[in-house]
Amino acid sequence: IKRRCPPNEQSQDLESCQELMHLFFKGPARGERWVPWHCATCEQELFLFQEVRTRQDFSEEALFAMSTAFSASRVVPMWRQIILPALAKDPQAIINDPFALFQPGGPVHKQMVNWRAQGNILHTTSYNPYPPLGAKGDKFTDYIAKRHAEYADLGKRAFPLLQQQNNQTLMQQLDTHFQTLHKVGPTMSKVLLVTTHLWYPQLEILDQGCLVGDGAALAFDFLYKKKNTHAKTKRLHHLFNYLESFIDRLEPRFKPMLQFLSHESRLKFPEIPSKSLPDILTIYDLQVQLCEWRKFRKNVDKRMTLTKRSPPTFI
C-alpha cells in the first residue's frame, strides 16, 4: 500500500482497514465468494479463462455454451472432476444435445449424485439457485443437472447474436434472450452478461451500461435521499459520471492503484484479454463493487466505522 500511494498521500487510513478486511476474507468473501476489482480474476471467471476458454478441442460455439452452462452451478471443483472430463469425450455433445448429456441416470448425472453424497456442494453459495418446491435430496441433483442442460442450450441459442458486427443493442438483446429462461432474472442475466463481456471485450457489450443487481441497492440508499428501486440503472450512470469527473479530487490514490493492479494482473494472467483487465474505471466494475461493498457493509462493518465523512448527497 505504501509503495503505491502517491508521495503526497498517506496510507494509514487504508492500513487501518486490515482487521476488518481480514474478517471479510475469512467470512462473507471467503474463496469463491470474493469478486476482486477486476471481475475476470475472481475464482470462477479465472477458471473459465484458464481451463475452458483456452481449450483447443472445442468449437467456439461449444466453448460459449460451456461458459453459460457453468453458471448453472459455478462449482469449479465439480466442473474439473466431472463435467470437463465428460465433455472431453465428446466435444460437441454440449451443442448437439445438452439434455441427453445431463439426463437423469446418465453418466454425468450419476457422478453428480455421488459427488453430493460425498458431502460436496452442487451449487455455488454466492447466490440462490431457487429450486422448485420439493426439490430436495436426489430431486435437487436432478434440478441442477437439468439446469446445466438449460443453460447450455441458452448459450447455444445466444451464440449467433455474438456474430453480428457493430450491434449497438447487443446488451439488451442478450439480456432479453437470457431472461426467456425460467428463473433467470436481472441478477442471473447480469452474471451471464459479465462473463460474455469478459470473453468478447471487442464487442464492448457492457462498455456503455450494465444491468444493476439487487446487491447495489444498499449503496444507492446510502448515497441518495430517496429510495427508488426503479431508478437503479439511472443512478448507476449518474454515480459513474460523477466519479469520472471528480475521482482525482475525491481519492487521488485511486487511478495509480488501478493502473498498477491492471498492469500486474495482465502479467500474471496472460490468458485474460488485456481489455478485460482495464486500467480505467468501468461502469460494470463499479456495479460489481457496489455489490461487494454491500456484502462488506452488511456482514463486517455494520456500524460503518470506515465512513470518514458524510457521503455526497444526490437527489
Side-chain angles (χ1 to χ4, degrees):
I1 293 173
K2 289 180 179 178
R3 287 187 298 111
R4 297 300 165 182
C5 284
N8 61 331
E9 292 292 330
Q10 301 298 313
S11 61
Q12 288 90 341
D13 60 331
L14 298 178
E15 293 172 8
S16 69
C17 304
Q18 289 187 18
E19 183 177 347
L20 287 173
M21 292 306 296
H22 174 73
L23 294 174
F24 185 55
F25 290 123
K26 188 178 179 180
R30 184 177 181 179
E32 63 165 10
R33 294 177 65 87
W34 178 48
V35 182
W37 180 266
H38 289 123
C39 304
T41 61
C42 76
E43 180 179 308
Q44 296 167 353
E45 298 296 342
L46 196 57
F47 163 75
L48 286 175
F49 272 115
Q50 293 181 327
E51 301 182 45
V52 177
R53 190 78 178 94
T54 55
R55 297 289 293 257
Q56 300 296 315
D57 48 342
F58 293 90
S59 66
E60 186 67 25
E61 183 183 19
L63 288 172
F64 182 67
M66 289 163 67
S67 79
T68 55
F70 175 69
S71 287
S73 65
R74 289 202 158 238
V75 178
V76 171
M78 182 175 71
W79 266 72
R80 283 195 183 117
Q81 186 168 322
I82 298 174
I83 299 177
L84 281 183
L87 291 172
K89 296 177 182 178
D90 185 356
Q92 285 299 106
I94 200 163
I95 291 297
N96 293 336
D97 195 346
F99 292 93
L101 180 65
F102 292 98
Q103 66 180 327
V108 173
H109 179 268
K110 288 180 179 179
Q111 290 184 71
M112 292 174 72
V113 170
N114 293 333
W115 174 264
R116 188 165 188 259
Q118 293 168 12
N120 300 304
I121 62 172
L122 288 174
H123 192 276
T124 176
T125 57
S126 300
Y127 54 87
N128 192 332
Y130 295 105
L133 188 65
K136 300 178 181 179
D138 289 344
K139 290 185 178 180
F140 181 71
T141 307
D142 296 347
Y143 171 71
I144 296 299
K146 182 181 178 182
R147 184 177 162 98
H148 277 84
E150 292 174 336
Y151 276 50
D153 183 64
L154 193 69
K156 172 187 174 181
R157 291 185 288 109
F159 186 71
L161 293 173
L162 304 179
Q163 312 311 305
Q164 301 176 19
Q165 299 296 318
N166 302 317
N167 189 343
Q168 301 299 316
T169 62
L170 183 54
M171 185 190 79
Q172 290 82 2
Q173 290 183 40
L174 286 170
D175 175 47
T176 299
H177 171 73
F178 289 148
Q179 293 200 49
T180 58
L181 184 59
H182 181 55
K183 293 192 176 181
V184 171
T187 298
M188 192 66 247
S189 180
K190 180 198 70 176
V191 172
L192 294 166
L193 281 169
V194 167
T195 296
T196 306
H197 174 83
L198 295 174
W199 274 36
Y200 302 99
Q202 71 278 9
L203 297 179
E204 302 179 345
I205 298 170
L206 301 181
D207 278 15
Q208 303 303 317
C210 180
L211 296 181
V212 184
D214 295 336
L218 186 65
F220 294 141
D221 292 346
F222 177 65
L223 291 170
Y224 292 82
K225 285 183 177 179
K226 298 178 181 179
K227 293 184 178 182
N228 186 347
T229 57
H230 300 292
K232 291 186 295 185
T233 300
K234 182 178 180 181
R235 287 178 171 178
L236 177 66
H237 281 270
H238 180 261
L239 180 60
F240 177 71
N241 292 333
Y242 177 85
L243 291 174
E244 274 200 315
S245 300
F246 298 106
I247 192 65
D248 288 336
R249 188 169 66 185
L250 292 170
E251 180 48 89
R253 297 168 296 185
F254 178 79
K255 285 185 178 178
M257 283 292 290
L258 183 52
Q259 290 165 358
F260 164 73
L261 180 62
S262 176
H263 177 263
E264 295 299 312
S265 296
R266 289 172 180 177
L267 292 177
K268 187 173 183 178
F269 305 116
E271 308 89 348
I272 302 177
S274 59
K275 195 175 179 181
S276 296
L277 297 167
D279 57 4
I280 59 173
L281 178 67
T282 68
I283 196 166
Y284 67 90
D285 280 325
L286 173 61
Q287 195 284 147
V288 171
Q289 291 310 313
L290 290 177
C291 296
E292 289 298 292
W293 178 83
R294 186 266 314 166
K295 187 190 301 179
F296 178 81
R297 164 77 175 84
K298 286 188 67 176
N299 296 282
V300 178
D301 192 25
K302 297 180 180 180
R303 297 183 179 181
M304 302 191 77
T305 58
L306 296 186
T307 304
K308 295 188 297 184
R309 61 181 75 87
S310 298
T313 303
F314 300 130
I315 303 301

Coordinates of all heavy atoms in Angstrom, one line a residue, residues 14 16 58 74 91 100 104 111 123 139 142 146 159 169 187 215 230-231 252-253 258 279 289 297 301 314:
L14 N -5.9 3.3 4.9 CA -6.0 2.0 4.3 C -5.5 0.9 5.2 O -6.1 -0.1 5.3 CB -5.3 2.0 2.9 CG -5.8 3.0 1.9 CD1 -4.9 2.9 0.6 CD2 -7.2 2.8 1.5
S16 N -5.5 0.9 8.3 CA -6.3 0.7 9.5 C -7.5 -0.3 9.2 O -8.2 -0.7 10.1 CB -6.9 2.0 9.9 OG -7.8 2.6 9.0
F58 N -12.5 -27.8 -28.6 CA -13.9 -27.5 -28.7 C -14.0 -26.3 -29.7 O -13.1 -25.5 -29.9 CB -14.4 -27.0 -27.4 CG -14.5 -28.1 -26.3 CD1 -13.4 -28.3 -25.5 CD2 -15.6 -28.8 -26.1 CE1 -13.4 -29.3 -24.5 CE2 -15.7 -29.8 -25.2 CZ -14.6 -30.0 -24.3
R74 N -21.7 -23.0 -11.1 CA -20.4 -22.2 -10.8 C -19.6 -22.9 -9.7 O -19.0 -22.3 -8.8 CB -20.8 -20.8 -10.4 CG -21.2 -20.0 -11.6 CD -21.0 -18.5 -11.5 NE -21.0 -17.9 -12.8 CZ -20.0 -17.2 -13.3 NH1 -19.0 -16.9 -12.5 NH2 -20.0 -16.7 -14.5
P91 N -16.6 -33.5 -27.6 CA -16.6 -32.0 -27.5 C -17.8 -31.3 -28.1 O -18.1 -30.2 -27.7 CB -15.4 -31.7 -28.4 CG -14.5 -32.9 -28.3 CD -15.4 -34.0 -28.2
A100 N -29.5 -34.6 -23.3 CA -29.0 -36.0 -23.2 C -27.8 -36.1 -22.3 O -27.6 -37.1 -21.6 CB -28.8 -36.6 -24.6
P104 N -31.2 -37.5 -16.4 CA -31.2 -38.4 -15.1 C -30.8 -39.8 -15.5 O -31.3 -40.4 -16.5 CB -32.7 -38.3 -14.7 CG -33.2 -37.0 -15.3 CD -32.5 -36.9 -16.6
Q111 N -22.6 -39.3 -11.6 CA -21.4 -38.8 -10.9 C -21.8 -37.6 -10.0 O -21.2 -37.4 -8.9 CB -20.3 -38.3 -11.9 CG -19.7 -39.5 -12.6 CD -18.6 -39.0 -13.6 OE1 -17.5 -38.6 -13.1 NE2 -18.8 -39.1 -14.9
H123 N -24.0 -26.4 -6.0 CA -24.2 -25.1 -6.5 C -23.4 -24.1 -5.6 O -23.3 -24.3 -4.4 CB -25.7 -24.7 -6.4 CG -26.1 -23.5 -7.1 ND1 -26.0 -22.2 -6.6 CD2 -26.5 -23.2 -8.4 CE1 -26.3 -21.3 -7.4 NE2 -26.7 -21.9 -8.5
K139 N -33.8 -35.1 -5.9 CA -34.5 -34.2 -6.8 C -33.8 -32.9 -7.0 O -33.9 -32.3 -8.0 CB -35.9 -33.9 -6.2 CG -36.9 -35.1 -6.3 CD -38.3 -34.8 -5.8 CE -39.2 -36.0 -6.0 NZ -40.6 -35.6 -5.6
D142 N -31.3 -33.7 -9.6 CA -32.0 -33.7 -10.9 C -32.1 -32.2 -11.4 O -31.9 -31.9 -12.6 CB -33.3 -34.3 -10.8 CG -33.3 -35.8 -10.4 OD1 -32.2 -36.4 -10.5 OD2 -34.3 -36.4 -10.0
K146 N -30.4 -30.7 -14.8 CA -31.3 -30.1 -15.9 C -31.0 -28.7 -16.1 O -31.0 -28.2 -17.2 CB -32.8 -30.3 -15.5 CG -33.7 -29.8 -16.5 CD -35.2 -29.9 -16.1 CE -36.1 -29.4 -17.2 NZ -37.5 -29.5 -16.7
F159 N -25.5 -17.7 -29.1 CA -24.2 -17.5 -29.8 C -24.3 -16.8 -31.2 O -23.4 -15.9 -31.5 CB -23.6 -18.9 -30.1 CG -22.2 -18.9 -30.7 CD1 -21.1 -18.4 -29.9 CD2 -22.0 -19.2 -32.0 CE1 -19.9 -18.4 -30.5 CE2 -20.7 -19.2 -32.6 CZ -19.7 -18.8 -31.8
T169 N -27.2 -2.6 -29.8 CA -28.1 -3.0 -28.8 C -27.9 -4.5 -28.3 O -28.8 -5.1 -27.8 CB -29.6 -3.0 -29.3 OG1 -29.7 -3.8 -30.5 CG2 -29.9 -1.5 -29.8
T187 N -30.4 -10.4 -12.0 CA -29.1 -10.7 -11.3 C -28.4 -11.8 -12.1 O -27.2 -11.7 -12.4 CB -29.3 -11.1 -9.9 OG1 -29.9 -10.0 -9.1 CG2 -28.0 -11.5 -9.2
G215 N -28.0 -6.3 -5.3 CA -26.9 -6.1 -4.3 C -26.4 -4.6 -4.2 O -25.9 -4.2 -3.2
H230 N -36.7 1.5 -8.8 CA -36.8 1.6 -10.2 C -35.8 2.5 -10.9 O -35.8 2.6 -12.1 CB -38.3 2.0 -10.6 CG -39.3 1.1 -10.0 ND1 -39.5 -0.2 -10.5 CD2 -40.3 1.3 -9.1 CE1 -40.5 -0.7 -9.8 NE2 -41.0 0.2 -9.0
A231 N -35.0 3.2 -10.1 CA -34.0 4.1 -10.7 C -32.6 3.6 -10.6 O -31.7 4.4 -10.7 CB -34.2 5.5 -10.0
P252 N -7.1 10.7 -4.8 CA -6.0 10.8 -5.7 C -5.2 9.5 -5.8 O -4.4 9.3 -6.8 CB -5.2 11.9 -5.2 CG -5.6 12.1 -3.8 CD -7.0 11.7 -3.7
R253 N -5.4 8.6 -4.9 CA -4.7 7.3 -5.0 C -5.4 6.3 -5.9 O -4.8 5.3 -6.2 CB -4.5 6.7 -3.5 CG -3.7 7.6 -2.6 CD -3.9 7.1 -1.2 NE -5.2 7.2 -0.7 CZ -5.6 7.0 0.6 NH1 -4.7 6.6 1.5 NH2 -6.9 7.1 1.0
L258 N -5.2 1.5 -9.5 CA -5.9 0.8 -10.6 C -5.0 0.5 -11.7 O -5.0 -0.6 -12.3 CB -7.1 1.6 -11.1 CG -8.0 0.9 -12.1 CD1 -8.4 -0.5 -11.6 CD2 -9.2 1.7 -12.4
D279 N -7.4 -0.5 -17.1 CA -6.7 0.4 -16.2 C -7.5 1.7 -15.9 O -6.9 2.6 -15.4 CB -5.3 0.7 -16.7 CG -5.3 1.3 -18.0 OD1 -6.4 1.6 -18.6 OD2 -4.2 1.5 -18.6
Q289 N -18.6 -3.8 -7.7 CA -18.0 -3.4 -6.4 C -19.0 -2.8 -5.5 O -18.8 -2.8 -4.3 CB -16.8 -2.5 -6.7 CG -15.6 -3.2 -7.3 CD -15.2 -4.5 -6.6 OE1 -15.1 -4.5 -5.4 NE2 -15.0 -5.6 -7.4
R297 N -20.5 -4.3 4.1 CA -21.2 -3.4 5.0 C -22.2 -4.3 5.9 O -22.3 -4.1 7.1 CB -22.0 -2.4 4.2 CG -23.1 -1.7 4.9 CD -22.7 -0.6 5.8 NE -23.8 0.1 6.3 CZ -24.5 -0.3 7.4 NH1 -24.2 -1.4 8.0 NH2 -25.5 0.5 7.8
D301 N -18.8 -4.5 8.5 CA -18.7 -3.2 9.1 C -20.1 -2.6 9.2 O -20.5 -1.6 8.6 CB -17.9 -2.3 8.1 CG -17.5 -0.9 8.8 OD1 -17.5 -0.9 10.0 OD2 -17.3 0.0 8.0
F314 N -27.0 12.9 -3.2 CA -27.6 13.1 -4.6 C -29.1 13.2 -4.5 O -29.7 12.6 -3.6 CB -27.2 11.9 -5.5 CG -25.7 11.8 -5.6 CD1 -25.1 10.5 -5.5 CD2 -24.9 12.9 -6.0 CE1 -23.7 10.4 -5.6 CE2 -23.6 12.7 -6.2 CZ -23.0 11.5 -6.0

